[in-house]
Amino acid sequence: MDNPTHTLTALALSRAGLSRWHSHPVLVLMLAANAPDLDIVMAFRGALPYFTHHRGLTHAIAIAPVLALLVVAVVCAITRTTRGWKAAYGLAIVGVASHLLLDWTNSYGVRFLLPFSSEWFRLDLNNILDLWISGILLIAAVGPLLGRLVSSEIGAKPGSGRGLAIFALSFFLLYDVGRYLVHQRAVDILNSRVYQGGAPIRVAAFPASIANPFHWTGWIDRPTFAMRFSMDLLGDFDPGTGTIFFKPEPGPAMVAARQTHPVQVFLDFAQFPLWRVTPVADPEGAHRVEVRDWRFPFTAGATVDASNRVVSSYFLF
């Protein structure tokens, strides 16, 4: 999820009851809930290094205790005391875990098992930004502030915001349960149809809107082509309306491109790779081999000459 969502989730967790654990619960939880995104420092080394490490080790379960300890060290330095560091460590674990769980719900996914396995885990439920989730968390964040203004005017005791925070977190959970059921419905619809005279080899559905939970992007694989669909689950689904992507025949140029570092890194990430092989004028007889995952605007490729030797390779983020 986006960092404002992680931050607002941390605030809601604090107000829901975790504030009793430590004297600076909001500081601890907010830092911890954003700590896994420390991998952004790799962006200074370029697009490919950042892409390689994004949602990598800093999002792994094995590293979560280390990140939590780092957060505690920062909090102790800011507050100039180590008092209550054990409680702060518990809060930091909760904050880091909330980040990993929220990112798990996206289509991008996380690599929970690094450094032992580089397998990607994803639920395909939410976009990185979801207006329903952001909206309810924002209401839970600003609600108590507005309540204090009203209370100060009428002389009443202001509320803590605990009830609103619990409501927001409960809504978040139930919303994702609903998204799971709707996602499963989209997958079932895709699996139940015939495409160009045959059943799909593989299907998938991904959230397509930051506001409409019934708008999904569908994807099906056939041996020689793939199809992408815009799906409205409140309407009818026509398997003939998808965009067709024909798969190129595997050849020496594609084999050569697969050996380049950018393409290898990209294929470790891509869940639905789309290949394209096109001739280029320079050098004579050469081909440009590109692969992308249609879910995201990332492309890796190589230029291969007439002798199937790699002339250059690249990654576009």
Side-chain angles (χ1 to χ4, degrees):
M1 304 296 285
D2 64 314
N3 291 106
T5 298
H6 288 301
T7 302
L8 290 172
T9 300
L11 179 59
L13 287 169
S14 175
R15 289 179 176 172
L18 297 185
S19 58
R20 304 169 184 173
W21 290 19
H22 191 261
S23 56
H24 297 86
V26 175
L27 176 63
V28 175
L29 282 166
M30 284 187 175
L31 288 176
N34 288 282
D37 281 341
L38 283 172
D39 56 19
I40 196 171
V41 299
M42 298 303 298
F44 293 105
R45 295 181 54 189
L48 185 58
Y50 175 64
F51 179 78
T52 302
H53 296 283
H54 183 49
R55 294 199 181 182
L57 273 176
T58 59
H59 288 68
I61 294 173
I63 305 301
V66 178
L67 282 178
L69 192 60
L70 177 62
V71 169
V72 172
V74 171
V75 171
C76 288
I78 293 174
T79 60
R80 297 184 180 182
T81 178
T82 58
R83 185 177 180 180
W85 72 268
K86 292 182 180 179
Y89 186 69
L91 278 178
I93 288 288
V94 172
V96 173
S98 73
H99 186 113
L100 303 189
L101 289 174
L102 266 59
D103 281 0
W104 180 34
T105 67
N106 299 155
S107 296
Y108 199 103
V110 290
R111 287 173 280 183
F112 283 133
L113 303 182
L114 285 174
F116 311 105
S117 169
S118 59
E119 181 181 358
W120 286 91
F121 296 86
R122 54 187 175 79
L123 291 179
D124 299 331
L125 301 184
N126 303 316
N127 277 303
I128 292 177
L129 170 64
D130 186 290
L131 292 184
W132 289 94
I133 294 172
S134 299
I136 195 66
L137 290 173
L138 188 60
I139 290 172
V142 303
L145 301 178
L146 297 176
R148 289 191 184 97
L149 290 176
V150 174
S151 298
S152 65
E153 289 295 327
I154 63 177
K157 182 179 179 181
S160 65
R162 184 168 184 265
L164 197 54
I166 293 174
F167 171 77
L169 294 172
S170 300
F171 173 88
F172 198 159
L173 177 61
L174 292 175
Y175 179 75
D176 273 357
V177 171
R179 294 283 295 192
Y180 174 82
L181 295 175
V182 174
H183 172 261
Q184 192 58 48
R185 173 61 178 161
V187 170
D188 290 343
I189 290 173
L190 292 166
N191 265 322
S192 67
R193 301 298 196 273
V194 173
Y195 307 89
Q196 303 289 314
I201 299 172
R202 184 173 60 153
V203 305
F206 305 94
S209 171
I210 64 173
N212 186 351
F214 297 102
H215 187 197
W216 294 74
T217 298
W219 178 265
I220 69 99
D221 254 338
R222 294 276 291 135
T224 59
F225 66 89
M227 293 183 73
R228 182 176 64 196
F229 301 89
S230 178
M231 303 179 69
D232 181 0
L233 297 188
L234 297 180
D236 295 327
F237 174 68
D238 182 355
T241 59
T243 302
I244 299 179
F245 301 89
F246 290 101
K247 301 177 182 179
E249 288 290 333
M254 192 180 296
V255 172
R258 281 180 175 271
Q259 308 309 311
T260 64
H261 179 61
V263 173
Q264 288 179 348
V265 168
F266 185 81
L267 290 178
D268 285 339
F269 164 81
Q271 302 293 317
F272 297 87
L274 286 173
W275 290 89
R276 182 173 64 177
V277 180
T278 54
V280 294
D282 186 28
E284 184 178 354
H287 289 82
R288 179 180 295 113
V289 182
E290 291 186 331
V291 59
R292 64 183 294 262
D293 188 320
W294 68 269
R295 300 172 300 161
F296 303 102
F298 312 142
T299 302
T303 300
V304 181
D305 67 16
S307 300
N308 296 311
R309 293 175 298 193
V310 174
V311 176
S312 62
S313 61
Y314 54 89
F315 172 78
L316 303 176
F317 187 81

